[in-house]
Every structure is written in C-alpha cells, then in structure tokens.
C-alpha cells in the first residue's frame, strides 16, 4: 500500500564552484602555477600580461642601446667566454662548486610502484601518499585526512579499505620501513623482512605487537615472564631491535643543503616592524580578453546558439577563475598577516622558545573564516623569513601551563626534550620519568605520559634502546 509522508530535514549541500574554490586554497605555489598554465591553454578568453608587454609599453627612443655600429661592438677586446657566460650567470653569482643532479627518494618509490599491479586510480592515490611522506620516509598525516584531501582534489571518492591496501603496497617498497606511520610500525616492517623463524626475530615481533607499552615503560620482567626467556636472551632481542633503522631514508643533512623549496609567503624585517607579502602574486597579471568578450555579445545577437553557449560558458569560467585567484590571494594575505601578528615575537627574533600556543581556531576567528579554510591555506605552505624557510603547520601547537601560570607552546617543550636528550649520558640515558623530573626543574611540570607522547612524536627511541644505540 502506498503512503505519502511529509518530512523536514536539514542537509548540507556544496556546489561544484565551492569545491573548486576549496581546491584552489589547498594548492601550493607550484601547483597553482600549473593550474594557471592549464587554464590559459584551455580557455582563450583568459590572458596573461607578461614582462614583454611591459617592456614594449615602456621602451622609448631614449632607451636605444649604445652600440649602433658593428665595428665598435664586434671587434672589442672582451673575450668571448665572458660575454657568453653573462647569458647564464651574473659575475657575482658564479657557482663555486659543481652542480650535480640529485634524485628524490619519492621518485624511486614511484618507479618501484610501477612493478606492482594496480588500477590507474589506485596508482594515482599511491603517488599522492608518496608525495606526502616526510623527509625521513614517515607518513605523518592520517589516511582518513589524505583520502579526504585526495577526494576533494580529484573529485573522486576513495574507500578507507582501499586506502589501507594501497599504503600496504607502498610499505613493501625499498627501503624497508618507508611509509610507516609510527616508530613501532617502522620496526615491524623491517623485522618482517628478516627470517621470522629466528628466535630473536620472532621474539622482537612479539614484543612490538603485544608488549610495546611495557617496552616503553621498561617493564622487562613482565616481558621475560610472558615470553619465557631470561635476561640475557632479552638483551640479545633488544640488541637486534637497537640495530634497526629508525630513519628509513637515512640522514637528511645532505638533502637539506640542496633542497629547493618555493615559498608561498615572504616575511621581511623593516625598521618599523615586520612586512608580509605573497611570494608570487598572479591575479594582477590575469585578465579577460575584451575582444573575446565582445565576441560573446555579438554571438548572443546571432542565430548560432551553439557558438553563443560555448563562448558564454568560457566567459563565465574565465571570470570565475580570475575572481577565484584574487579571492585566494586576498584570503592568504589575511591569514598570514593574522599568523604573523599572533606570533609577532617569533617572526621578529626567530627563536622557537618565543612561539605562542596557536591552533587553527585562533586564526580562523581573527580572519573571520572557517577553520577548514585556514587548514587548507596553511597546508603544505612555506614562509620565507630572515632566519630560514619554515613550514607553516609547524608553527601551530597546543599549549601547556608552566609553573608561573603562563601558557607555553608544546613546541617549546619538545625543543627542551631534544636538548636534554642531546646532553644526557649516552651510556645511562634518561627514562621518560627522569625526563619529566628534569623538565620540572626547568619550570615545565608535565606528566610522564606527556613526555612519552612528545618523545615519540620526535621519533626518539626509549632509553633502553638509546643505551644500546650508544
């Protein structure tokens, strides 16, 4: 029997243009450049003002070059190699060492991935995961967040089970441990590639699977009793674990020297404070072709409706894109200005101890936008400062109250933990409880489990393993 029911419900809908706007917020400077090039190729109504246009507009007869006669220029005494070299390098910017090509580990992973049978969509998402690995080869962003970002960027949905399966394929690649999300998972991936029939390997896997918390808490008696081994056998297992690679990609010191990062923002010091600007402002160079715009009006009066509809759609797309770029740059400037004002002392001095606790909500309230907008604008964005180029997301942190009652950023506490561990006796390193006691003397009264959380975030092993490592 048919029934009619009248129901009322709330539903959130987002139109395609809003999705494209959110995607533009998420793009880095290099990705935006590629997107603009694509739009210029696809849409003839959008044009870009180039430096050549400015040169033609500003050139006058007074700017004619000095050399008018070939005899005067062609037979001078300047050696050819100097004039040829100036086409490539300024005299003051000559390279003082050979320039060699360096290959990023992510490219190697993508080449290895081609040997695994995957669909085109799965391979594209796998490349997206690889591009989000940090310089040590770890995946810091959760799979759910990556899947959401990928879905937003490509307008295609990916299931959680598929994402987990693709990550497991990446974790099969070389070097062992790449693509791991935690230190525990990194060690497990390396142990599973060894001979798992060996007693020490089997015991190490069992410890990581079932007794990782006890290992971090140095509860060795419980581990010995559960595994049925003595102290000497446990020592052999821990020595095996101590020789595992805790950094899958290896040292990043050499990579840092040659790393090329294109900043999205530039912060400079002035006499009256700090100045903030975009590294590359593109909206001022993009404009709508007036001749093509008039063609749309002429086509509207004509009888060919197909031509009119085509030109009209291209005009609407062009106007939206140019306005979207302007809105993106305006919002980015508002966000970075709010961040610099919030962390003014840090950007003035460059000292991490001056960082204030700051979350996305703080900036969103100052700018008057949604938290997700701030998240997308700060994601994978770099800011160039007088004290180096920094990743914006590293400035955000929660706060903890110290003994004086002031709220201190957890970045400051993590820095203190690193400093204490650097100066500890390598043969008898501090336990997490001892680290908490040392930090308490410095005015940071935090619990042992908080120290453990920050130490693991810094990817520093437990005291027992640090002792073996020494």
């Amino acid at each position: 029997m048919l029934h009619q029911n009248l129901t009322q419900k709330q539903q959130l809908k987002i139109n395609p243009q809003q999705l494209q706007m959110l995607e533009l917020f998420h793009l880095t400077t290099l990705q935006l450049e590629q997107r603009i090039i694509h739009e210029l190729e696809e849409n003839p109504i959008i044009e870009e003002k180039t430096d050549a246009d400015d040169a033609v507009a500003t050139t006058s007869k007074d700017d004619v070059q000095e050399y008018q006669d070939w005899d005067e220029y062609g037979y001078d005494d300047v050696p050819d190699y100097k004039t040829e070299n100036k086409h490539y390098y300024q005299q003051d910017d000559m390279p003082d060492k050979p320039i060699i090509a360096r290959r990023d580990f992510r490219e190697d992973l993508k080449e290895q991935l081609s040997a695994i049978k995957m669909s085109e969509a799965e391979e594209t998402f796998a490349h997206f995961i690889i591009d989000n690995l940090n310089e040590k080869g770890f995946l810091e962003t959760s799979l759910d967040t990556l899947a959401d970002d990928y879905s937003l960027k490509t307008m295609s949905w990916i299931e959680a089970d598929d994402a987990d399966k693709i990550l497991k394929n990446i974790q099969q690649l070389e070097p062992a441990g790449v693509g791991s999300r935690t230190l525990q998972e990194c060690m497990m991936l390396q142990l599973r590639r060894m001979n798992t029939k060996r007693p020490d390997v089997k015991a190490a896997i069992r410890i990581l699977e079932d007794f990782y918390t006890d290992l971090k808490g140095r509860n060795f008696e419980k581990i010995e009793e559960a595994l049925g081994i003595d102290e000497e056998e446990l020592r052999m297992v821990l020595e095996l674990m101590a020789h595992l690679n805790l950094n899958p990609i290896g040292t990043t010191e050499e990579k840092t020297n040659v790393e090329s990062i294109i900043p999205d923002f530039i912060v400079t010091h002035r006499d009256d404070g700090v100045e903030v600007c975009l590294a590359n402002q593109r909206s001022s160079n993009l404009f709508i072709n007036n001749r093509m715009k008039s063609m749309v009006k002429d086509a509207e009066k004509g009888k060919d409706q197909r031509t009119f509809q085509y030109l009209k759609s291209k005009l609407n797309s062009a106007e939206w894109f140019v306005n979207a770029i302007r809105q993106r740059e305006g919002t980015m400037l508002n966000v970075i200005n709010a961040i610099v004002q919030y962390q003014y002392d840090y950007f003035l001095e460059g000292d991490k101890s001056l960082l204030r606790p700051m979350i996305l909500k703080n900036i969103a309230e100052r700018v008057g936008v949604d938290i997700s907008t701030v998240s997308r604008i700060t994601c994978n964005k770099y800011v160039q400062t007088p004290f180096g180029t920094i990743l914006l997301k590293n400035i955000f942190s929660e706060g903890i109250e110290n003994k004086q009652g002031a709220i201190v950023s957890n970045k400051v506490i993590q820095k203190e933990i690193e400093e204490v561990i650097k100066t500890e006796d390598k043969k008898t390193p501090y336990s997490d409880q001892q680290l908490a006691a040392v930090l308490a003397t410095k005015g940071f009264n935090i619990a042992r489990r908080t120290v453990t959380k920050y130490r693991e975030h810094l990817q520093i092993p437990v005291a027992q393993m640090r002792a073996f490592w020494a």
Side-chain angles (χ1 to χ4, degrees), residues 397-425:
S397 62
E398 299 283 349
I400 293 178
E401 187 175 350
N402 62 11
K403 286 186 176 180
Q404 288 74 33
I407 303 297
V408 180
S409 169
N410 58 21
K411 297 287 184 184
V412 176
I413 299 174
Q414 290 175 23
K415 183 182 177 183
E416 288 293 337
I417 292 174
E418 283 185 308
E419 293 298 325
V420 171
I421 291 177
K422 280 181 183 177
T423 57
E424 69 183 357
D425 185 353

Side-chain angles (χ1 to χ4, degrees), residues 11-28:
Q11 187 176 6
L12 180 63
K13 289 188 176 181
I14 184 167
N15 61 47
Q17 287 189 341
Q18 289 174 316
L19 284 173
Q20 291 177 20
M21 189 71 241
L22 292 175
E23 183 192 347
L24 282 179
F25 284 154
H26 193 271
L27 298 179
T28 62

Side-chain angles (χ1 to χ4, degrees), residues 170-202:
I170 294 174
Q171 291 174 347
Q172 296 175 15
L173 307 177
E174 294 292 339
V178 72
S180 51
R181 289 159 286 190
T182 61
L183 203 59
Q184 178 186 9
E185 188 176 28
C186 177
M187 298 167 71
M188 284 287 294
L189 291 172
Q190 295 175 66
L191 287 170
R192 292 192 183 281
R193 297 197 187 186
M194 299 180 183
N195 184 2
T196 54
K197 294 182 179 180
R198 280 172 43 186
D200 55 345
V201 176
K202 190 182 295 183

Side-chain angles (χ1 to χ4, degrees), residues 5-13:
N5 293 321
L6 186 63
T7 59
Q8 187 177 23
K9 63 178 181 179
Q10 290 183 336
Q11 187 176 6
L12 180 63
K13 289 188 176 181

Side-chain angles (χ1 to χ4, degrees), residues 384-401:
Q384 181 180 310
T385 67
F387 47 86
T389 303
I390 56 178
L391 186 62
L392 268 182
K393 75 171 186 178
N394 290 340
I395 303 176
F396 290 88
S397 62
E398 299 283 349
I400 293 178
E401 187 175 350

Side-chain angles (χ1 to χ4, degrees), residues 207-253:
I207 290 172
L208 289 175
E209 283 182 340
D210 303 329
F211 303 101
Y212 188 64
T213 305
D214 296 310
L215 176 65
K216 293 191 294 182
R218 303 168 64 90
N219 194 355
F220 300 131
E221 292 180 1
K222 180 180 177 180
I223 297 174
E224 291 170 5
E225 183 180 351
L227 297 181
I229 58 178
D230 57 25
E231 185 177 349
E232 185 60 31
E233 290 173 322
L234 178 62
R235 182 178 180 83
M236 292 174 61
V237 174
L238 293 177
E239 284 181 354
L240 168 67
M241 296 171 68
H243 285 84
L244 296 175
N245 189 3
L246 303 182
N247 186 355
I249 301 304
T251 178
T252 58
E253 292 179 1

Side-chain angles (χ1 to χ4, degrees), residues 226-363:
L227 297 181
I229 58 178
D230 57 25
E231 185 177 349
E232 185 60 31
E233 290 173 322
L234 178 62
R235 182 178 180 83
M236 292 174 61
V237 174
L238 293 177
E239 284 181 354
L240 168 67
M241 296 171 68
H243 285 84
L244 296 175
N245 189 3
L246 303 182
N247 186 355
I249 301 304
T251 178
T252 58
E253 292 179 1
E254 189 177 1
K255 290 182 183 353
T256 305
N257 294 331
V258 297
E259 189 179 53
S260 178
I261 295 175
I262 300 176
D264 302 270
F265 310 98
I266 298 177
V267 174
T268 53
H269 290 170
R270 300 176 64 90
D271 296 337
D272 55 348
V274 176
E275 184 181 14
V276 184
C277 66
L278 294 175
N280 189 13
Q281 192 164 358
R282 295 304 311 275
S283 61
S284 58
N285 294 335
L286 298 175
F287 63 94
I288 305 297
N289 188 316
N290 290 327
R291 186 175 60 85
M292 296 293 292
K293 199 171 182 179
S294 62
M295 284 179 62
V296 177
K297 294 180 180 179
D298 295 339
E300 186 177 6
K301 300 173 184 177
K303 296 180 180 180
D304 192 349
Q305 288 299 313
R306 289 185 179 180
T307 303
F308 168 67
Q309 291 298 334
Y310 172 77
L311 292 174
K312 182 68 175 176
S313 64
K314 289 294 184 181
L315 177 61
N316 291 339
S317 176
E319 289 176 341
W320 177 87
F321 185 75
V322 173
N323 291 331
I325 297 296
R326 288 172 185 161
Q327 184 180 343
R328 176 186 186 268
E329 293 178 350
T331 308
M332 287 177 67
L333 274 174
N334 291 337
V335 169
I336 190 62
N337 273 303
I339 292 174
V340 170
Q341 290 302 318
Y342 201 94
Q343 302 285 4
Y344 187 80
D345 293 337
Y346 168 70
F347 281 100
L348 203 60
E349 302 293 336
D351 187 358
K352 283 188 177 180
S353 62
L354 297 175
L355 274 174
R356 295 172 57 193
M358 181 179 68
I359 57 177
L360 295 174
K361 185 179 178 182
N362 299 137
I363 303 303

